[in-house]
Each structure stands twice: as structure tokens, then as C-alpha cells.
Amino acid sequence: MATTDADARLADRVTFFKRKVSALFQRAKGFESELSTNKLNDLDPVELEVHLLRIEQTKSTFNGAHNSLEELDFDEIGSKVRNDFDDLMAKLEARVRVIIQKHQSNAPPHSTFGRYDDTLNQTVIVANKTRLPELKLPTFSDGYTEYANFYAMFESVVDKDPELTNIEKLQHLRSCFQRGEYVGFSSSQIRVIDIIIGTAAL
């Protein structure tokens, strides 16, 4: 009886993760039409960066769910859906980054403007000492208990700097987040980004 119950629980967990992986893949396929090149050309750099964050969050969530599925069902290791998902996400991310690069090439140079390090898949900010005080930017890992202190410091160091553009502020905000195991942002971090963009001077 105990074995039967354990088998049933295992089957339920496998079913759960399969459905979650499938739902995330369908969401990613929805991004493909939502993030067409024509639509991306109409967006400003901040909106493009937010879409990159959405892509990273979806990748992180998918990888976590699929890894859990693989631990429960070895037949899912190297599955077609994972390969298709990775190919689609790479194409979407490249599409967004191409448009961002166009904005960068058309914009006047800024000493704090970031560059992309493709080997790390994250934005690296090159800060000029004359632009930002010699303070280490605050970090935010997860949880709203950290938000008040984090935003007070971020607002003082970055958000109230009149010489920083909106896109530079968002780049600095990205660099403040401690990444998870799958190099993505947590749901709390994504919500904090939404809060800051909605309430701050970004």
C-alpha cells in the first residue's frame, strides 16, 4: 500500500512538472509574435530591457521546472521540448538585443553606458568615477523585507543622479540583483522592477 501511494505521488509530481513545462513553452511561443521585429522597433530602450527581463525570468522558471522533471523522469533528459525552448529563447533574446544595439549606436556616448558580455549573459556596467560616488551599489536577492532598505540606497545613489539616462538607471538596477542558480531573476525581483519603474524616475 505504501509503495502504491509513493508511486501515485511520484506520478502526480511528474504530471505537474510536465504541465508546467508545457505551459511555459506555450508562453514562450506567445512571445515570438509579441516580440516581432516590427513591434520591437517601436519600443524605447527601457521597454526593450524589460522584455529582456521577461525572457530571462521565463528561461529561469522553465529551467527549474524541467530540471525537477528530469530528476523524476530520466526519459525527459535532453527532451525535444527543452531543445525547442532553448532555440526559441536564444532567437528572441538575439532579436531584442539587435534592436537595443541599434539604439546604442544611434545614441550619443555616455560614460556609464553598459556593454553586453555574451559569455556571462548579463549586463556589465562601466562606471565613471565622476558620474557615481565611490559607493558599492546595493544588492537585492529576494523578498519584500529587503525592499525598503534596497530602494532607499538605490534611489540615493542612482535614481536621483540627474546625469544618468533612464536606460542607464535600469542597467544599474539589473546589476544590483543577485542572480539565482539558473542566472535568472526571481518573481519578487521582477515585481520590484515593476514597482521601481512605476514609481521612480525611470
Side-chain angles (χ1 to χ4, degrees), residues 1 65 74 82 160:
M1 181 64 179
F74 296 163
R82 182 159 207 168
K160 289 187 176 180

Side-chain angles (χ1 to χ4, degrees), residues 169-181:
K169 292 177 183 179
L170 185 57
Q171 298 275 30
H172 284 303
L173 176 62
R174 285 164 56 93
S175 72
C176 290
F177 286 159
Q178 297 174 358
R179 302 300 187 92
E181 180 182 357

Side-chain angles (χ1 to χ4, degrees), residues 92-125:
L92 292 177
E93 185 173 348
R95 187 183 297 172
V96 176
R97 289 190 185 278
V98 165
I99 305 300
I100 289 177
Q101 185 62 42
K102 289 181 181 178
H103 281 284
Q104 292 179 357
S105 61
N106 293 332
H110 287 84
S111 60
T112 61
F113 204 79
R115 64 179 175 82
Y116 289 105
D117 186 339
D118 293 330
T119 61
L120 295 178
N121 194 28
Q122 66 184 54
T123 303
V124 179
I125 302 300

